[in-house]
Amino acid sequence: MRNATIRQLQIFSVAASHLSFARAAEKLHLTHAAISLQIKQLEEVSGSLLFERIGKRVFLTEAGEILLEHARQILRSLKEADEALLALKGLRGGRLAVAVASTAEYFAPGLLAEFRKVQADVRIRLLIDNRDTVTRLLVGNEVDLAIMGRPPAELDATAVAFAPHPLVIIASAGHPLSRQPSVAVEELAGETLIVRETGSGTRSAMEEFFLEQPLKPTVGMEMGSNEAIKQAVIAGLGISFISQHTLGLELRAGRLAILSVEGTPVIRRWHIVRHRAKHQTPALAAFWDFVVEFAPAYLRKLA
């Protein structure tokens, strides 16, 4: 392995994480042929087959799984060395990769903007996706930390709850139930529920809520974004279970209403999460402390 290059390990790590040469080419802005060539050269220097094709799918071999673990350790060590050298040169900031659950996209950019006011030299990469993808990014060490709801059980994580996360049931402003001071869960029986996709934290919280209720709602539509759900509810296509932190503009404009359903709001917590073994660079430590100290008051102002 002494003849393997860092670039080959980087390409292999991305291809192995996605189990797709095409996705690796897209993410690294290379051609499919260039990815294949680098992987072939890495297989030659390692003396092992790293991938195998079964039908149209790509899988890691046992040798590939072993090399992936070591490649990630090597790339992580190089990143940490880079951060340490930057700090030694007096560059206080360094780089930071932050993954955010899609529901948190309504406050995370503003939170990052506030952080940049006190740490202007930190270079930040922000990734927004659903809970399952954010968990995968953490597990694969593709990001430094994440802002999400419940920390993933499969990750050996360090997590701090920093603010309440209320989830509510909404309807269009003109919906008959929006004028009632109290709504029994049974009154939702005739309503069509518009829900997030499987894998989102909001979907999981909704399923847990209705599991404890006598009513099993009728799911009429599944959508992959909060914005699409809100527009569908405004159009009168149904009601939805959604984070209150996504509703500021629509509530102020009088286009949506929060229904006073018994048992709601369902209160979860926002967490900041990192792998327990993650090396704390100055940038990571500064952002972690900032979120824990500043974010609670910031979110209260948005409510």
Side-chain angles (χ1 to χ4, degrees):
M1 288 302 300
R2 66 180 58 189
N3 293 322
T5 68
I6 297 301
R7 186 57 172 164
Q8 287 170 346
L9 293 178
Q10 289 172 330
I11 290 171
F12 168 69
S13 180
V14 175
S17 296
H18 293 281
L19 292 177
S20 168
F21 287 13
R23 287 291 306 278
E26 179 184 332
K27 289 185 70 70
L28 296 171
H29 305 291
L30 296 172
T31 64
H32 191 286
I35 296 292
S36 297
L37 177 62
Q38 292 294 326
I39 296 297
K40 182 180 179 181
Q41 291 176 346
L42 185 60
E43 287 178 329
E44 290 173 354
V45 299
S46 67
S48 302
L49 184 68
L50 303 176
F51 294 94
E52 59 182 353
R53 291 186 179 274
I54 300 177
K56 295 183 178 180
R57 299 185 63 187
V58 176
F59 298 88
L60 280 174
T61 63
E62 184 178 3
E65 291 176 353
I66 292 171
L67 181 58
L68 178 60
E69 180 181 351
H70 289 284
R72 284 173 171 168
Q73 291 176 1
I74 291 167
L75 296 173
R76 180 166 59 246
S77 294
L78 286 171
K79 180 182 177 183
E80 291 169 0
D82 188 32
E83 296 289 354
L85 290 171
L86 287 172
L88 188 63
K89 293 176 182 177
L91 301 176
R92 297 182 302 128
R95 294 187 293 267
L96 192 64
V98 180
V100 171
S102 53
T103 298
E105 69 179 312
Y106 292 86
F107 66 82
L111 200 59
L112 290 173
E114 293 296 328
F115 176 69
R116 289 293 303 276
K117 291 178 181 178
V118 294
Q119 293 285 350
D121 50 353
V122 174
R123 288 168 286 171
I124 299 174
R125 183 165 63 100
L126 178 64
L127 298 95
I128 300 172
D129 217 308
N130 68 19
R131 173 186 171 83
D132 279 1
T133 300
V134 169
T135 297
R136 179 181 61 76
L137 292 171
L138 280 170
V139 171
N141 193 42
E142 296 180 57
V143 294
D144 297 302
L145 53 85
I147 293 175
M148 60 194 307
R150 190 177 301 165
E154 61 269 38
L155 180 70
D156 183 17
T158 296
V160 175
F162 63 84
H165 179 199
L167 295 125
V168 296
I169 296 177
I170 59 169
S172 63
H175 194 287
L177 292 179
S178 68
R179 295 187 289 273
Q180 293 185 196
S182 179
V183 178
V185 175
E186 291 81 358
E187 294 183 75
L188 303 180
E191 302 295 331
T192 297
L193 197 61
I194 304 170
V195 301
R196 282 292 304 272
E197 78 285 5
T198 300
S200 79
T202 302
R203 174 69 172 266
S204 298
M206 181 209 74
E207 290 173 346
E208 289 178 15
F209 171 74
F210 281 110
L211 193 63
E212 300 172 357
Q213 306 300 326
L215 170 72
K216 297 300 176 277
T218 301
V219 174
M221 294 185 183
E222 182 178 292
M223 297 184 176
S225 78
N226 293 309
E227 284 302 310
I229 287 176
K230 288 188 293 182
Q231 292 305 313
V233 173
I234 289 170
L237 294 177
I239 64 174
S240 187
F241 183 98
I242 198 168
S243 168
Q244 189 171 335
H245 286 143
T246 70
L247 302 174
L249 291 174
E250 291 80 10
L251 291 177
R252 288 192 291 272
R255 305 184 73 193
L256 286 174
I258 296 175
L259 302 184
S260 299
V261 178
E262 294 173 359
T264 65
V266 174
I267 302 297
R268 296 289 187 263
R269 303 284 295 179
W270 287 114
H271 291 78
I272 184 168
V273 185
R274 70 173 187 270
H275 198 291
R276 194 178 301 276
K278 186 71 180 177
H279 173 69
Q280 282 209 68
T281 63
L284 192 159
F287 185 71
W288 186 279
D289 291 343
F290 175 83
V291 170
V292 172
E293 295 172 10
F294 179 83
Y298 181 78
L299 282 176
R300 281 197 298 271
K301 289 192 297 184
L302 296 181

